[in-house]
Amino acid sequence: MAQNSIKFALNHMVNPRWTPQQLIESAAEMGVGAVELRNDVGGNSIVDLDTASSAGQRARELGIEVLSINALYPFNIWNEERERQAETLAQWVHAAGGRGLVLCPLVDAESRASAEERKACLEQALTALDKVLGRYDLQGFVEPLGFPISSLRAKGEAIEVIHALNLSSRFSLVHDTFHHQGASESDVFADMTGLVHISGLEDPDVTFEGMLDEHRVLVSTQDRLDNVGQLKRLLSGGYNGYVSFEPFAASVHQQKNPVAALRDSMAFIQHQLG
């Protein structure tokens, strides 16, 4: 994939004020080929089969791919409740014509689980999710979260378990540029990456260890996360999937013209990639 042919997508977090239909219509307006729906954006969330089906219908009408519903949390604490949630979300992804389900691990400062216990939990969850997702022919997008209190920070840990279980056809990684930097991980694992999330950090007073979702903005000239460098490494490593904007900052969500802001960020990234 040539670096100048990057494929952008819009995660619903770019503007939670939009309905799913407006997200899809905005993607079409911008010439962006795919979206990620969410179950955590208040009144505009996917909440049942009807909202999922309606979003999927609009996406098909406009030729927009639904990449995922974001997300099952905490996917690596497996129990009967999580199994019910996974089954429900899988049904919604299927109804929307989506490709897969984003899987986010537990983030908990009170957790005292050992590395062995965390690995066992991950193995249990992935084994069970293989069956759930398999019923609908869906992918599982495992997203390590780089926060210091995350139960799964490093992509390498996830890959080790996925390979050990022989489940690389079912599960791939989300490379999130924010969490990659937060985890201080060097390898990008392009061959195991199924989806990329991008957002920027500009605040000079926030450390990589201390940064939170609320600091995540669109990628610009002030970016401290080396989004462009990370994308170059992924693309040169053979990644040819979508790069999805996922900013959480209120300043982004309150933009008067979110489409223009997104276009500016896209243009900046394209220019830097050459």
Side-chain angles (χ1 to χ4, degrees):
M1 176 179 176
Q3 288 183 352
N4 61 5
S5 64
I6 188 168
K7 298 191 299 186
F8 288 113
L10 301 183
N11 186 293
H12 203 160
M13 199 52 70
V14 296
N15 188 359
R17 294 175 295 160
W18 282 336
T19 65
Q21 283 75 13
Q22 288 173 321
L23 171 72
I24 292 160
E25 290 159 4
S26 296
E29 175 188 346
M30 297 172 62
V32 168
V35 298
E36 291 184 90
L37 305 173
R38 298 188 71 101
N39 61 337
D40 62 352
V41 286
N44 290 319
S45 300
I46 299 299
V47 296
D48 54 27
L49 285 171
D50 286 343
T51 53
S53 297
S54 295
Q57 180 179 349
R58 189 63 177 136
R60 286 190 296 275
E61 290 170 355
L62 295 177
I64 302 297
E65 182 174 1
V66 175
L67 296 177
S68 74
I69 290 181
N70 191 329
L72 176 65
Y73 173 86
F75 87 91
N76 57 337
I77 307 300
W78 197 258
N79 50 37
E80 290 183 2
E81 178 189 10
R82 201 72 60 244
E83 184 165 12
R84 289 194 297 270
Q85 291 171 333
E87 178 71 26
T88 297
L89 285 168
Q91 290 176 4
W92 295 355
V93 176
H94 182 70
R99 184 185 297 181
L101 179 63
V102 173
L103 309 170
C104 293
L106 178 69
V107 177
D108 182 8
E110 302 303 315
S111 176
R112 297 292 183 267
S114 67
E116 291 78 13
E117 289 169 331
R118 293 196 304 271
K119 182 178 180 181
C121 285
L122 182 57
E123 290 173 344
Q124 179 188 16
L126 293 182
T127 299
L129 278 163
D130 176 46
K131 297 182 176 64
V132 175
L133 297 175
R135 286 196 285 272
Y136 303 93
D137 194 25
L138 299 176
Q139 290 289 300
F141 299 117
V142 179
E143 181 169 13
L145 303 179
F147 302 120
I149 58 173
S150 171
S151 61
L152 179 61
R153 295 186 75 188
K155 294 186 290 294
E157 291 180 25
I159 289 174
E160 180 182 346
V161 173
I162 291 169
H163 283 327
L165 296 173
N166 196 27
L167 291 177
S168 56
S169 62
R170 176 73 59 205
F171 298 102
S172 58
L173 298 176
V174 177
H175 178 108
D176 185 296
T177 55
F178 171 90
H179 289 298
H180 179 81
Q181 191 66 263
S184 300
E185 196 164 20
S186 56
D187 293 336
V188 298
F189 304 106
D191 62 325
M192 280 294 293
T193 299
L195 182 60
V196 173
H197 286 164
I198 57 172
S199 58
L201 173 73
E202 296 181 354
D203 191 330
D205 298 322
V206 177
T207 66
F208 293 150
E209 286 281 302
M211 62 186 183
L212 301 170
D213 277 339
E214 65 200 50
H215 299 120
R216 299 175 66 166
V217 296
L218 295 176
V219 181
S220 73
T221 55
Q222 283 77 48
D223 178 45
R224 296 176 51 208
L225 298 180
D226 190 30
N227 271 270
V228 171
Q230 291 187 49
L231 288 174
K232 284 181 177 178
R233 293 175 63 196
L234 284 161
L235 295 171
S236 65
Y239 179 71
N240 63 357
Y242 280 98
V243 174
S244 185
F245 285 95
E246 193 189 34
F248 283 75
S251 60
V252 178
H253 298 167
Q254 294 163 2
Q255 283 274 359
K256 292 184 178 179
N257 192 337
V259 168
L262 284 161
R263 280 181 165 146
D264 286 345
S265 188
M266 289 170 58
F268 167 73
I269 294 168
Q270 291 274 27
H271 178 74
Q272 293 298 308
L273 290 177

